[in-house]
Amino acid sequence: MGDDGNREHRDMRQIVLDTETTGIDPNDGHRIIEIGCVEVIERELTGRNYHVYINPEREVEAEAITVHGITNEFLTDKPRFAEIADEFFEFIKGAELVIHNAAFDVGFMDAEFARLKPVRKTADHCGIVDSLAIARAKHPGQKNNLDALCKRYGVDNSNRELHGALLDAEILADVYLLMTGGQTALSLDAGAGDDGTAGGIRRLTGSRPALAVIRADDAEASAHEEFLAMMEKQAGHTVWSKLQQSE
């Protein structure tokens, strides 16, 4: 279960996923109360998401409520996991799941699926990438929680006062694509911060026009050759000439 972050996923369907729970350990009977999923295909967000709140059939711990703000009263009329299990499974089946600290969420998902028939194990039907493991490998000795990664990669998380599964999945999708080499943001205009960091995510669509390639005309090429000849005479050699000779 994992990925070194260097493998290409150009033709793979990925689901960036996050959950919120009643507590920290499914072995103590804690349950999932929110699931948020964001679909990514060929490293572009498709706009297709999955989001649901779930009645956990038990109390949410007070400490957990301080993290995500989801109360017992709010969850009273929400569907139980058994009622949404099939549609959730169909959304993620066959995809590669990108999860920050994947063992936590997958542990809860497997515990929920184990209560139902047929029993499903997440890793049997999905690939799993732990974005936290990728972040730790790329930035050893540094903070690698989602807030720290947002700051590091210039992702705007100003709306994230509390944890929320769908919001966190959307933010993680941006962070993951940037962290693994897929530029989705980097706004280099007046919206950038005073410290030079990007001001937020501006996604580029796959249908954008191709960039124009402007080549030197004959006069410019001749002037360039004259300049290189002068440099060769003064310095004895130039890196540019060596590159041309190696082609």
Side-chain angles (χ1 to χ4, degrees):
M1 181 176 74
D3 195 306
D4 62 5
N6 296 320
R7 190 158 52 90
E8 292 292 335
H9 306 288
R10 297 295 175 185
D11 58 351
M12 183 177 293
R13 178 174 181 261
Q14 295 176 291
I15 300 295
V16 184
L17 181 150
D18 187 58
T19 66
E20 300 297 344
T21 63
T22 62
I24 62 171
D25 192 347
N27 293 321
D28 290 338
H30 285 293
R31 306 286 300 271
I32 294 176
I33 59 173
E34 185 187 9
I35 300 171
C37 300
V38 175
E39 184 181 63
V40 176
I41 296 179
E42 295 183 357
R43 296 186 63 82
E44 290 192 4
L45 282 79
T46 67
R48 184 168 178 246
N49 301 335
Y50 178 84
H51 180 235
V52 64
Y53 291 103
I54 300 166
N55 183 336
E57 304 178 83
R58 60 155 292 157
E59 293 290 303
V60 182
E61 287 192 343
E63 289 184 1
I65 295 175
T66 64
V67 173
H68 50 59
I70 302 173
T71 65
N72 292 290
E73 294 75 19
F74 175 78
L75 296 171
T76 300
D77 62 348
K78 301 302 182 287
R80 291 164 174 77
F81 187 86
E83 298 174 61
I84 61 91
D86 288 342
E87 66 177 15
F88 171 53
F89 178 75
E90 288 301 317
F91 188 83
I92 66 172
K93 183 175 67 173
E96 183 176 70
L97 306 182
V98 178
I99 309 172
H100 210 61
N101 191 16
F104 178 88
D105 300 81
V106 172
F108 270 93
M109 290 160 60
D110 285 347
E112 295 288 358
F113 283 130
R115 295 183 175 95
L116 308 174
K117 300 295 182 182
V119 173
R120 296 156 172 160
K121 190 173 180 62
T122 306
D124 291 341
H125 303 277
C126 304
I128 300 171
V129 171
D130 188 348
S131 55
L132 177 59
I134 296 174
R136 285 173 172 167
K138 291 179 70 70
H139 309 289
Q142 300 182 54
K143 288 185 177 179
N144 288 299
N145 59 39
L146 195 52
D147 287 334
L149 290 172
C150 285
K151 184 176 181 180
R152 189 170 300 144
Y153 287 98
V155 173
D156 181 8
N157 67 339
S158 56
N159 293 324
R160 190 176 183 260
E161 294 181 4
L162 294 171
H163 289 263
L166 183 59
L167 176 60
D168 281 2
E170 290 173 339
I171 292 172
L172 178 58
D174 288 329
V175 166
Y176 172 76
L177 291 173
L178 289 166
M179 184 168 60
T180 56
Q183 180 173 319
T184 63
L186 298 191
S187 173
L188 302 179
D189 54 19
D194 293 336
D195 59 355
T197 59
I201 289 296
R202 179 172 59 85
R203 299 190 182 94
L204 301 178
T205 66
S207 61
R208 64 188 182 274
L211 294 176
V213 178
I214 301 175
R215 303 186 183 280
D217 59 27
D218 291 343
E220 291 169 330
S222 178
H224 177 67
E225 292 297 333
E226 290 178 6
F227 178 78
L228 287 181
M230 179 190 69
M231 293 295 294
E232 287 278 350
K233 185 175 182 179
Q234 292 181 355
H237 68 276
T238 64
V239 174
W240 187 273
S241 298
K242 286 187 176 181
L243 288 173
Q244 287 182 318
Q245 293 169 6
S246 64
E247 290 179 354

